[in-house]
């Protein structure tokens, strides 16, 4: 049997690999019951026993092929000195970004603060079946910047015209993100996914500079260290083709707005992943199976990892996800 790591490294087609973005999260009652007792989300991510336990919840329930470590992309800005508040229904809010403070970080302090994440990975690896992959992840620099500088909330004040400043931030972030990847792999993770969830906000030149090139630096770092890497530049439409040509990751996760037929034709020499709209899981079984069938049929003769086009939404009924998994496993 090939696992996710082998599929990515060898473009294998002889097995189905299934995992989901946000597979450990609020749609699961077993997660909600832990979360209720731990109102501070960052502290929960930094509790290695609980974080490992949460990581394994969807594996226990569905026997998925890969586990993704329970943490958050914002743990990196947190470890670099910004406080974070997860306001219910409003998304994360970060304390004011101060460039001098950000540039003044030191790596020893950073890895010390994130040590519980690495411990959680080590603990999870010990409990996880050897054949299963443990996925580490980071947020891409641009997506982190949208939260660090509050770009989405105040587009006029975000100082994006200060390109020099943004470049300095990106350069420093790449350094710390590569370190975070290295530490996660040393702790026992086998694959990395880079989330660029807000790549779709960028146009043309900015897309090159703020999305493609930073992703490329990180992918090159992974390749030098023989770490299989999946990129997820969400929302960039047909620019996925340029992304693939320039960045050349092992895997490319496609979002639900991308036409899967177009993706199959235009995104070659890469293992494709995902695509199906997570909101389909809120529909009838028939609709869910039809949609899954569409993706499985289109990608039947290329290496493909079953996943969704973004994270599982909290309103999802866990039994429906179970039915989808069974359908995908049994579909020929
Ligand atoms: O199961 C997994 O996928 C692993 C854990 C994981 C989380 N966040 C846990 C989480 C992963 C891989 C992430 C990535 C992440 N975090 C992204 C990239 C993927 C994406 O969704 O686009 C982004 C943009 C974030 C930032 C973030 N974290 C937001 C915007 C929010 C709040 C709103 C939301 O989408 O839930 C979070 C909180 C968060 N991260 C939760 C979980 C389970 C919910 C926390 C809660 O219980 O309130």
């Amino acid at each position: 049997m090939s696992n996710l790591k082998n599929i990515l490294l060898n473009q294998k087609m002889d097995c189905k690999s299934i995992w989901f973005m946000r597979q450990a999260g609020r749609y699961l009652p077993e997660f909600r019951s832990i979360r209720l007792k731990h109102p501070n989300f960052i502290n929960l991510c930094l509790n290695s026993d609980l974080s490992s336990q949460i990581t394994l919840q969807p594996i226990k329930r569905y026997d998925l092929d890969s586990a993704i470590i329970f943490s958050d992309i914002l743990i990196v800005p947190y470890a670099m000195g910004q406080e974070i508040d997860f306001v219910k229904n409003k998304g994360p809010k970060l304390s004011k970004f101060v460039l001098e403070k950000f540039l003044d970080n030191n790596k020893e302090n950073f890895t010390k603060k994130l040590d519980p994440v690495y411990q959680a990975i080590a603990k999870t690896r010990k409990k996880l079946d050897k054949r299963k992959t443990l996925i580490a992840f980071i947020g891409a620099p641009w997506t982190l910047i949208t939260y660090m500088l509050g770009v989405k909330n105040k587009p006029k004040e975000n100082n994006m015209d200060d390109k020099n400043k943004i470049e300095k931030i990106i350069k420093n972030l790449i350094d710390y993100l590569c370190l975070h990847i290295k530490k996660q792999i040393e702790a026992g993770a086998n694959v990395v996914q880079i989330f660029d969830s807000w790549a779709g906000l960028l146009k043309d030149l900015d897309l090159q500079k703020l999305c493609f090139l930073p992703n490329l630096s990180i992918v090159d770092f992974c390749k030098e260290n023989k770490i299989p890497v999946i990129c997820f530049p969400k929302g960039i439409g047909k620019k996925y083709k340029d992304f693939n040509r320039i960045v050349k990751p092992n895997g490319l996760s496609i979002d639900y707005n991308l036409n899967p037929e177009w993706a199959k034709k235009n995104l070659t020499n890469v293992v494709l992943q995902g695509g199906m709209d997570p909101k389909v899981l809120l529909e009838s079984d028939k609709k869910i199976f039809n949609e899954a069938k569409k993706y499985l049929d289109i990608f039947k003769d290329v290496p493909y990892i079953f996943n969704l086009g973004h994270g599982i939404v909290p309103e999802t009924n866990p039994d429906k996800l179970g039915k989808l998994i069974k359908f995908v496993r049994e579909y020929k």
Side-chain angles (χ1 to χ4, degrees):
M1 191 187 90
S2 303
N3 61 20
L4 179 66
K5 182 177 174 181
N6 286 331
I7 297 173
L8 287 167
L9 286 179
N10 306 313
Q11 304 205 344
K12 284 254 187 194
M13 288 183 45
D14 62 351
C15 88
K16 277 181 192 153
S17 177
I18 313 176
W19 72 281
F20 297 99
M21 293 184 256
R22 288 285 163 99
Q23 63 188 28
R26 284 164 297 184
Y27 78 103
L28 282 180
E30 55 269 39
F31 171 73
R32 289 197 303 270
S33 79
I34 294 181
R35 180 75 168 98
L36 264 178
K37 291 181 232 144
H38 298 270
N40 184 317
F41 181 73
I42 289 285
N43 285 349
L44 181 56
C45 293
L46 294 175
N47 179 325
S48 63
D49 284 322
L50 286 178
S51 149
S52 171
Q53 191 184 328
I54 294 168
T55 302
L56 292 166
Q57 283 176 344
I59 311 302
K60 282 207 175 114
R61 199 187 251 262
Y62 305 113
D63 193 32
L64 290 161
D65 301 304
S66 304
I68 178 161
I69 190 66
F70 179 77
S71 173
D72 199 87
I73 62 167
L74 298 177
I75 206 94
V76 166
Y78 167 81
M80 297 182 82
Q82 271 181 290
E83 315 228 318
I84 305 185
D85 195 5
F86 285 84
V87 195
K88 216 176 169 183
N89 303 323
K90 278 210 166 154
K93 206 172 164 349
L94 277 65
S95 62
K96 191 171 163 37
F97 177 80
V98 183
L99 184 63
E100 295 69 35
K101 194 176 158 201
F102 171 77
L103 294 175
D104 199 34
N105 267 286
N106 86 66
K107 292 188 173 159
E108 214 171 304
N109 194 27
F110 175 82
T111 51
K112 208 165 133 197
K113 265 175 125 170
L114 293 181
D115 194 54
V117 177
Y118 313 133
Q119 282 183 35
I121 290 175
K123 285 176 184 170
T124 308
R125 189 65 270 181
K126 268 194 196 148
K127 291 185 185 152
L128 191 66
D129 184 322
K130 280 199 292 296
R131 288 164 300 182
K132 295 192 192 285
T133 298
L134 180 54
I135 305 167
F137 67 88
I138 56 154
W142 164 250
T143 287
L144 293 180
I145 285 173
T146 64
Y147 292 102
M148 290 163 61
L149 305 193
V151 171
K152 289 186 287 343
N153 305 332
K154 38 179 183 176
K156 290 212 179 74
E157 301 159 44
N158 70 38
N159 235 350
M160 280 300 295
D161 46 348
D162 190 349
K163 292 275 153 70
N164 194 15
K165 176 178 169 185
I166 299 292
E167 273 168 31
K168 267 192 197 152
I169 300 173
I170 289 194
K171 195 161 167 279
N172 201 37
L173 268 177
I174 290 174
D175 245 20
Y176 281 81
L177 289 168
C178 288
L179 176 60
H180 188 43
I181 289 175
K182 186 162 163 270
K183 296 291 283 184
Q184 292 185 83
I185 297 295
E186 282 170 3
N190 336 80
V191 162
V192 176
Q193 175 146 326
I194 305 174
F195 288 93
D196 214 345
S197 307
W198 295 103
L201 295 178
L202 297 167
K203 296 268 170 315
D204 307 326
L205 262 183
D206 281 344
L207 191 62
Q208 274 279 346
K209 266 188 139 165
L210 307 181
C211 169
F212 295 178
L213 296 182
N215 272 278
L216 175 62
S217 297
I218 299 170
V219 165
D220 281 348
F221 171 84
C222 291
K223 286 183 179 165
E224 278 158 28
N225 290 281
K226 305 209 161 30
I227 305 163
V229 54
I230 305 169
C231 287
F232 184 38
K234 183 173 176 286
I236 63 171
K238 293 200 165 134
K239 295 280 167 61
Y240 256 97
K241 191 170 173 176
D242 297 331
F243 185 99
N244 190 40
R245 181 174 48 82
I246 293 166
V247 182
K248 297 189 191 69
N250 304 91
L252 196 51
S253 210
I254 58 173
D255 68 65
Y256 51 85
N257 282 320
L258 205 65
N259 179 323
E261 310 253 17
W262 180 91
K264 182 185 171 179
K265 201 165 153 234
N266 290 282
L267 307 175
T268 51
N269 280 319
V270 68
V271 177
L272 293 179
Q273 166 177 283
M276 180 170 142
D277 191 341
K279 291 217 170 67
V280 171
L281 278 162
L282 308 177
E283 311 259 358
S284 68
D285 291 359
K286 192 167 165 240
K287 273 210 170 146
I288 297 174
F289 299 155
N290 267 340
E291 198 60 18
K293 183 176 176 314
K294 182 173 103 188
Y295 281 87
L296 292 169
D297 286 345
I298 290 172
F299 294 112
K300 70 173 185 297
D301 51 0
V302 290
Y304 177 66
I305 302 157
F306 195 85
N307 201 316
L308 301 171
H310 200 195
I312 297 173
V313 299
E315 300 78 26
T316 304
N317 175 345
D319 295 337
K320 292 254 190 195
L321 189 70
K323 285 185 190 171
L324 169 64
I325 293 164
K326 186 164 181 287
F327 177 83
V328 175
R329 289 222 163 104
E330 290 172 0
Y331 189 71
K332 288 215 169 66

